[in-house]
Amino acid sequence: MAAILSKFSPLPLPMDYDDDDNEFSYSFQTDISFADEYTGPCIANVPRANPLEVDEIPTAHPVSSSSLLSSGLSYPVVQPLVSAANRVTKKPPEASPSVILKPHHVVSGSSSSSTSERLDVAEEANSSVDLPLSPSSSGEVREDALDDCSSEVEADGVNGNRVRFAVPSQGSECDESSYMSDEEESVAAAPRAERKGKRGSCYRCLIGNRFTEKELCIVCDAKYCSNCVRRAMGAMPEGRKCVTCIGLRISESNRKSLGKCSRMLKRLLTDSELQQVMHDEISCKANQLYARLISVNGRPLSEEELDKLQNCPNPPKKLKPGDYWYDKLAGYWGKVGEKPCQIISPNMNIGGSAMMEHASNGDTEIFINSREITKTELMMLKMVGVQCEGKPHFWVNSDGSYQEEGQNRIMGKLWNKKRARVACAVLSLPFPPTSSAVEPTDEPTYNPKMLNKLLLIGNEKCGATTIYKQARSLYEVPFTADERERIKFIIQTNLYAYLAMVLEAHEEDMNSNQANTEGETSSKTVSSMSPRLKHFSDWLLKEKEEGNLKIFPASSRENAQTVADLWRVPAIQATYKRLRDTLPRNAVYFLGRILEISRSEFDPSDMDILKAEGLSSVEGLSCVDFLFPSTTQEGSLEDDYHHDPHMKYQLIRLNHRSLGENWKWLEMFEDADLVIFCVSLTDYGEYIEDVDGVLVNKMIANKQLFESMVTHPSLANKRFLLVLTKFDLLEEKIEEVPLRTCEWFGDFNPLISQNQTSRHNPPMAQRAFHYIGFQFKRLYDSLSMRRRNFKPKLFVSQVSLESDSVDNALRYAREILKWHVEESSIFQETSTTSFEASLST
C-alpha cells in the first residue's frame, strides 16, 4: 500500500527551522503541486484518490518513565508527532493560490470532461481552480476538518500550495450522463451571426435594407449583398457558407434549401460554377444529417445505418431530425405519433428491433405488424374491401399480401385491389412505388432505364383519349373484360343521348307543324306513333333533362325491342335524315347501328371503342405498356440511328380534373420522361364552363391548362410535345368561323396571294395550324424566360387521330427522348470542360 501511495505523492523536501528548543533540526513538509487540465482523449474508469484527514491517523501515546521502571522491562518508545501549530515561523506566510475540488468537474485524466467549464487558475492570492470530486461517500470531508487543515498550513508559513476538497451539497450526485461526449459536442447549435448594422442591412458592408437582395449563410444565417457575397464566402467549397463557418454543421432550418440556388448566384456565377457549388453543398460531409439526431423505433441511428437508409432503393423523402417508426416487414415509414407518410424499402436492419405498439398513436384496436393503426388506415382498408370485423391483427408483407395472425393463409394483396390507389390518394396515405425493390410482383420487372413514361393530358374532347385507344390497338394491347364491359356501358349511354337528340328535333317539328297547319295534319302526325312509343319517348327526354341516362343501359334487355320499334317510325327516320349532316360524326356512326348496340348481348368492337366518347371523364387514370414494332425503313438506317428493340414505353392517360386542388397529386408523375399535351384545332370557336360556371373559350382554357403544366414544379425541365388534333375538321370550320373569334388569336392576319395556284399560298387551315403552334411556342418561351437554367424546347406535331398519324406522333416522341439523352451527355461534357478551364485560369 505504501508503494502505491508513494506514486501519487511527491518526495518530501527538508525544511530548516532556527528554533533551538525544537527536538528536531529538520522537518519534512510534502509539497503539493497544482492539478493541470487533461486535454487528451477520454479515459474510462480513472481511479480517484480520496482525501486523508491528518487528525484521524493513528499515533502512539507516550509511555511514562515510572511504568517502565516498575516493570523492569525495556520497551521501544515511539515519539509523538510534533504538531505544526506549536512551531513558530520567523517570516509571515506568503499567500499562494489554492485548488478547490468540486463535484461538477473532473480531475485531470478522468473519463469525461465538460466543455462548457474549464480549469482556471487566478493570479490573485485567493484564486482557486475548481476540480471535481468523486460522489462516493468515502470522498466526503467535513467542513470543520478542512478549516482546521487550512489554518494549520497557513500558520506554518511554508509552501502554501495546497489542494482543498469542496464538500458536495446534500443529495447532489455526479451522474455520468451529465457529461457531454465528443459526439454530443459536435452537434451543438450552429453559431448565430451578430448583426452590427441596421435591420435588413448586409452583415459585411452594413449597407442595404429589408428589400435588398441578399444571400444567406446556411450555418450562421448571415446575409450578404451581391457586392459582398463572394468576399464573405470565398470559393464556397462547402456551399453557401461564410469563410469562418467552413467545417461547421449547417442550421437544420436551412436544410430544405440545400442545392437550391438563388437568383443572385445565377447572376454572379457561371453555369458550371453554379452546378459545382450546389453539388458541393449537397455532397459535403459537414452538411450531411447527423445520425444520432434521427431515432428509429426508439433508438438513434448510427452512421452506417443512416447511410444504408439514405442509399436504399426507395429512401425517405425530405428526411429531417426527429423520432420515426419503421415497419421493417411492410416498409411503412412515419413520424412517431402520426400515420404513415411513405412506404420505403423493407427489411432494413436499422434502429430498434421491436415495433412500438402505439408508434402511430392509433386507437382502432386493429393491428398491422404489431402496430395499432389509425382511423385513416382503417378507412382505407374498408374502402378496398378488407374485412375488419372482430378487431383482427394482420401481418402485411412488402408486396401487399396480408393474413391474420395465427393463420397460414394469404387472404389477398392490398395493392392489387380495386380502388386501392384512389383510396390512398384521397386519404393522403402512401402507395408503394412501382419499383420491384419495394413491391415484388410475379410480373417481369423493368430496369428504370428500359422504361420511358409518356404523360398524355388535355382538356375534354381534345383527342387524347382517342390517341390512347389507338395506341392500344396499334401495338396489340387488348382491353380486359372489365374494361370492355365499362366501355359497353358508356357506348349504350351515349346511344340513348344521340337518340334523345333526334327525338327533341322530332318534337320541335311536331310543334311547328301544329302551329302552321290545322289539327287534322297534327292528329295524323301524332297518331303515327303508338302510345307505348310515345310514353317511352317522353320518358327518355325527361331523363335526359335530369341527366339520368345511365339507367337505360341497365335495362337494355327490356328496352331493346322498344328502341327498335321507335327507330322504325317513319317520322323519326325522316327527322334523322334531316339532321344527319349536323349531328356529330360519332353520333351518326352509332345511330346507324342502333338496333345492334341497344341489345344486351352487344360486344363492342375495336372500331366501336375508337369511336366511343366520354371515356376520359370516367377514367381518371389509364396506362398501357407497349413496344414499338420494327419497320422496314428502320432496317435500312445506320446503326447509330437504331433504337433499342427492348425499350418499353408507358403511355399514361391522365384527366387533369382528377388531380385535386392545386394539382397536388401531379407529384405522382414527376418521373415522366415526356409530356404530350393535346389541343383540338377547332376549340377556338367553342366555349365551356369553368369551375365558377362562367363561359370561357376552349382555346383560352387550353392556354391556362398549358401554363399550369409548364410551371408546375413536378414537371420542371420536362420535354413537352404539343399535339394539335382534328386538322380535318379545321379545314371545314375555318371557312365558316374565323380564327379571330378567339381573343388570343386577334392578330391573325395572313397575307393571301392573288395567285391561288402558287405554292407560296397554302390553304387557310394550314396557315391557322402554323399560327396556333407559333402562339403556344411563344407562350412556352415566355414561361421559360423566368428560369435562367437550361429549359428544353417545345416540339409540335399534327395528328389526325387516324392509326398511321398516331403511330407517327408516338414515334416522333421516341425520337425526342433519344435527342434528350444525347443532348444531356453533350451538355455534361461541355460543363466538365468549361469547369476544368475555369480552374486552370
Side-chain angles (χ1 to χ4, degrees):
M1 187 65 183
I4 297 176
L5 291 177
S6 63
K7 294 181 180 180
F8 290 95
S9 61
L11 294 176
L13 300 177
M15 308 298 294
D16 188 12
Y17 290 90
D18 296 334
D19 190 359
D20 298 335
D21 297 335
N22 197 345
E23 187 176 356
F24 300 97
S25 60
Y26 289 93
S27 178
F28 292 87
Q29 175 66 31
T30 302
D31 186 15
I32 305 298
S33 62
F34 289 107
D36 296 331
E37 180 185 7
Y38 178 73
T39 58
C42 297
I43 303 175
N45 301 325
V46 175
R48 294 184 175 89
N50 295 326
L52 300 177
E53 296 186 7
V54 180
D55 295 343
E56 296 182 358
I57 297 177
T59 58
H61 294 282
V63 181
S64 62
S65 58
S66 58
S67 61
L68 291 174
L69 295 174
S70 61
S71 59
L73 298 176
S74 176
Y75 295 97
V77 179
V78 179
Q79 298 296 331
L81 295 177
V82 179
S83 176
N86 297 328
R87 300 173 183 169
V88 179
T89 59
K90 292 184 177 181
K91 295 186 294 182
E94 297 180 359
S96 60
S98 62
V99 178
I100 301 177
L101 301 182
K102 294 185 179 180
H104 60 277
H105 289 141
V106 179
V107 179
S108 171
S110 61
S111 61
S112 60
S113 61
S114 175
T115 61
S116 61
E117 301 186 21
R118 298 186 177 276
L119 299 175
D120 298 329
V121 179
E123 295 180 356
E124 291 80 11
N126 295 329
S127 62
S128 62
V129 176
D130 296 343
L131 295 176
L133 177 64
S134 174
S136 61
S137 59
S138 62
E140 298 179 356
V141 183
R142 295 189 304 272
E143 292 183 1
D144 55 350
L146 291 175
D147 293 337
D148 293 341
C149 293
S150 174
S151 60
E152 290 177 2
V153 175
E154 290 176 7
D156 292 342
V158 295
N159 188 0
N161 297 342
R162 61 192 180 280
V163 177
R164 294 190 292 112
F165 295 85
V167 181
S169 59
Q170 184 177 1
S172 65
E173 295 183 357
C174 188
D175 192 3
E176 292 293 337
S177 62
S178 63
Y179 304 131
M180 293 180 62
S181 63
D182 293 339
E183 294 178 346
E184 292 170 344
E185 180 183 356
S186 63
V187 296
R192 297 283 298 181
E194 181 180 357
R195 186 191 301 274
K196 297 181 180 179
K198 61 181 181 180
R199 183 178 181 182
S201 62
C202 174
Y203 277 59
R204 186 177 183 275
C205 64
L206 308 181
I207 300 176
N209 51 40
R210 289 181 297 174
F211 303 101
T212 305
E213 189 177 15
K214 290 179 285 292
E215 188 62 52
L216 180 73
C217 174
I218 59 178
V219 175
C220 63
D221 292 337
K223 300 178 182 179
Y224 302 102
C225 62
S226 58
N227 296 328
C228 300
V229 63
R230 295 299 298 266
R231 296 180 177 90
M233 296 187 180
M236 304 182 194
E238 296 183 359
R240 292 164 292 177
K241 290 183 181 181
C242 305
V243 176
T244 57
C245 295
I246 293 177
L248 300 180
R249 304 189 64 85
I250 68 171
S251 176
E252 291 299 330
S253 60
N254 298 327
R255 184 170 297 280
K256 59 183 179 181
S257 63
L258 286 181
K260 299 179 181 179
C261 61
S262 62
R263 291 178 295 180
M264 178 189 296
L265 288 184
K266 290 180 181 180
R267 294 195 307 267
L268 298 177
L269 305 178
T270 63
D271 291 342
S272 58
E273 291 175 344
L274 187 62
Q275 291 180 2
Q276 184 66 30
V277 169
M278 293 298 103
H279 176 269
D280 293 341
E281 185 173 280
I282 296 175
S283 60
C284 175
K285 184 177 181 181
N287 298 345
Q288 304 305 314
L289 272 174
Y290 184 66
R292 299 191 66 83
L293 293 178
I294 301 175
S295 178
V296 178
N297 292 345
R299 187 176 69 83
L301 297 181
S302 63
E303 292 294 342
E304 293 77 9
E305 291 175 336
L306 178 60
D307 182 71
K308 181 187 299 183
L309 179 64
Q310 292 179 326
N311 295 323
C312 66
N314 188 38
K317 297 180 180 179
K318 299 178 181 179
L319 185 62
K320 298 179 180 179
D323 295 336
Y324 297 88
W325 59 267
Y326 171 49
D327 187 346
K328 300 181 181 180
L329 188 60
Y332 280 113
W333 173 274
K335 291 185 177 181
V336 172
E338 298 180 6
K339 63 182 180 181
C341 61
Q342 190 181 352
I343 297 180
I344 65 174
S345 300
N347 304 323
M348 290 190 296
N349 189 18
I350 60 173
S353 58
M355 184 66 186
M356 297 179 291
E357 182 176 314
H358 301 286
S360 56
N361 199 19
D363 55 354
T364 59
E365 299 183 7
I366 297 177
F367 291 78
I368 289 182
N369 298 344
S370 302
R371 176 183 62 87
E372 188 173 2
I373 64 176
T374 60
K375 292 182 179 179
T376 306
E377 296 173 270
L378 176 60
M379 191 179 302
M380 185 273 293
L381 293 179
K382 291 182 178 180
M383 289 179 65
V384 300
V386 178
Q387 299 296 328
C388 300
E389 289 76 9
K391 301 176 181 179
H393 292 201
F394 295 105
W395 290 110
V396 179
N397 298 321
S398 58
D399 60 349
S401 60
Y402 66 96
Q403 59 184 356
E404 291 191 19
E405 291 186 4
Q407 299 184 3
N408 191 17
R409 181 176 63 87
I410 301 296
M411 303 175 63
K413 290 189 176 182
L414 288 178
W415 315 129
N416 292 347
K417 290 182 175 292
K418 297 181 179 179
R419 302 186 300 274
R421 183 183 293 273
V422 177
C424 292
V426 171
L427 300 175
S428 299
L429 289 174
F431 191 84
T434 56
S435 173
S436 60
V438 179
E439 186 183 359
T441 59
D442 297 332
E443 301 177 357
T445 57
Y446 310 122
N447 191 326
K449 294 183 180 180
M450 300 300 295
L451 178 65
N452 288 325
K453 295 185 178 181
L454 311 177
L455 184 60
L456 182 63
I457 193 169
N459 273 317
E460 295 182 358
K461 298 182 179 180
C462 65
T465 305
T466 304
I467 293 176
Y468 172 79
K469 293 183 292 185
Q470 283 280 21
R472 300 195 68 150
S473 176
L474 281 169
Y475 308 122
E476 300 179 354
V477 183
F479 290 92
T480 62
D482 294 340
E483 291 174 339
R484 300 185 73 90
E485 190 67 26
R486 185 168 61 254
I487 293 173
K488 171 188 174 182
F489 178 84
I490 295 173
I491 292 176
Q492 290 183 338
T493 303
N494 294 340
L495 178 67
Y496 285 98
Y498 302 148
L499 179 60
M501 295 170 61
V502 178
L503 294 178
E504 286 178 350
H506 176 66
E507 291 289 339
E508 293 178 358
D509 292 343
M510 290 180 58
N511 294 334
S512 61
N513 292 336
Q514 186 176 3
N516 298 330
T517 61
E518 296 180 359
E520 295 180 0
T521 307
S522 176
S523 62
K524 291 181 180 180
T525 305
V526 174
S527 61
S528 63
M529 185 182 298
S530 65
R532 180 176 65 88
L533 299 180
K534 177 63 177 176
H535 174 72
F536 181 81
S537 175
D538 295 340
W539 178 39
L540 179 60
L541 294 176
K542 178 183 177 182
E543 296 298 333
K544 180 187 177 183
E545 292 179 358
E546 297 178 355
N548 196 21
L549 290 177
K550 295 181 179 180
I551 64 174
F552 291 97
S555 57
S556 58
R557 187 179 299 277
E558 294 81 6
N559 297 330
Q561 186 61 40
T562 305
V563 171
D565 295 340
L566 181 62
W567 187 250
R568 294 190 183 98
V569 173
I572 300 298
Q573 285 293 319
T575 304
Y576 169 68
K577 292 178 181 180
R578 181 176 60 83
L579 295 176
R580 184 167 184 171
D581 295 336
T582 60
L583 289 174
R585 296 184 179 182
N586 294 340
V588 175
Y589 173 81
F590 287 108
L591 286 176
R593 303 173 56 233
I594 188 173
L595 301 180
E596 175 187 355
I597 297 175
S598 60
R599 298 175 182 174
S600 59
E601 299 84 6
F602 167 68
D603 184 20
S605 62
D606 294 341
M607 183 57 66
D608 296 337
I609 296 175
L610 289 176
K611 295 290 185 179
E613 295 180 336
L615 296 182
S616 60
S617 61
V618 177
E619 300 177 356
L621 177 68
S622 303
C623 63
V624 56
D625 294 355
F626 62 92
L627 288 169
F628 282 103
S630 59
T631 60
T632 56
Q633 295 179 353
E634 293 180 355
S636 60
L637 298 176
E638 298 180 1
D639 295 339
D640 295 339
Y641 297 98
H642 286 178
H643 294 274
D644 189 352
H646 302 290
M647 176 69 73
K648 286 214 170 200
Y649 295 85
Q650 185 179 71
L651 184 63
I652 304 172
R653 171 66 179 107
L654 179 63
N655 186 3
H656 70 280
R657 298 185 182 275
S658 63
L659 293 177
E661 186 179 0
N662 298 327
W663 298 49
K664 60 181 180 180
W665 294 344
L666 192 59
E667 298 179 356
M668 300 169 57
F669 308 99
E670 61 182 0
D671 57 343
D673 299 289
L674 179 68
V675 180
I676 303 177
F677 189 83
C678 294
V679 175
S680 174
L681 291 171
T682 60
D683 285 348
Y684 71 92
E686 301 177 6
Y687 294 85
I688 59 173
E689 292 185 358
D690 58 4
V691 293
D692 300 327
V694 181
L695 284 178
V696 181
N697 188 282
K698 285 192 67 175
M699 192 61 71
I700 300 297
N702 292 331
K703 175 187 175 184
Q704 296 172 353
L705 178 62
F706 184 75
E707 290 178 350
S708 302
M709 293 285 293
V710 174
T711 57
H712 197 277
S714 299
L715 301 180
N717 298 329
K718 300 293 183 184
R719 263 58 182 175
F720 275 78
L721 172 61
L722 176 64
V723 175
L724 300 178
T725 62
K726 301 183 181 180
F727 180 78
D728 52 344
L729 299 180
L730 177 65
E731 294 177 331
E732 302 174 1
K733 187 172 185 177
I734 199 163
E735 301 296 337
E736 302 175 359
V737 182
L739 195 62
R740 292 184 181 181
T741 305
C742 177
E743 58 184 6
W744 191 24
F745 304 147
D747 57 347
F748 177 68
N749 189 17
L751 180 62
I752 301 177
S753 175
Q754 297 297 331
N755 186 7
Q756 299 295 332
T757 60
S758 174
R759 62 184 180 88
H760 300 291
N761 189 26
M764 186 62 65
Q766 191 69 26
R767 295 170 181 263
F769 162 73
H770 286 290
Y771 177 79
I772 294 174
F774 172 75
Q775 286 292 92
F776 274 98
K777 278 199 169 187
R778 187 163 61 177
L779 174 63
Y780 183 82
D781 292 339
S782 64
L783 297 175
S784 302
M785 288 299 293
R786 303 176 186 176
R787 309 169 67 98
R788 186 176 180 270
N789 56 345
F790 177 74
K791 188 71 176 179
K793 299 178 181 179
L794 174 65
F795 300 89
V796 183
S797 177
Q798 175 186 331
V799 179
S800 62
L801 300 183
E802 299 296 332
S803 58
D804 294 339
S805 180
V806 172
D807 183 48
N808 292 334
L810 293 178
R811 290 181 182 274
Y812 182 45
R814 180 179 64 170
E815 294 294 335
I816 295 173
L817 293 176
K818 184 177 181 181
W819 297 338
H820 169 54
V821 174
E822 296 175 353
E823 191 177 49
S824 300
S825 61
I826 295 174
F827 178 73
Q828 290 177 359
E829 293 177 359
T830 305
S831 301
T832 305
T833 305
S834 60
F835 179 69
E836 293 176 353
S838 63
L839 291 179
S840 61
T841 56

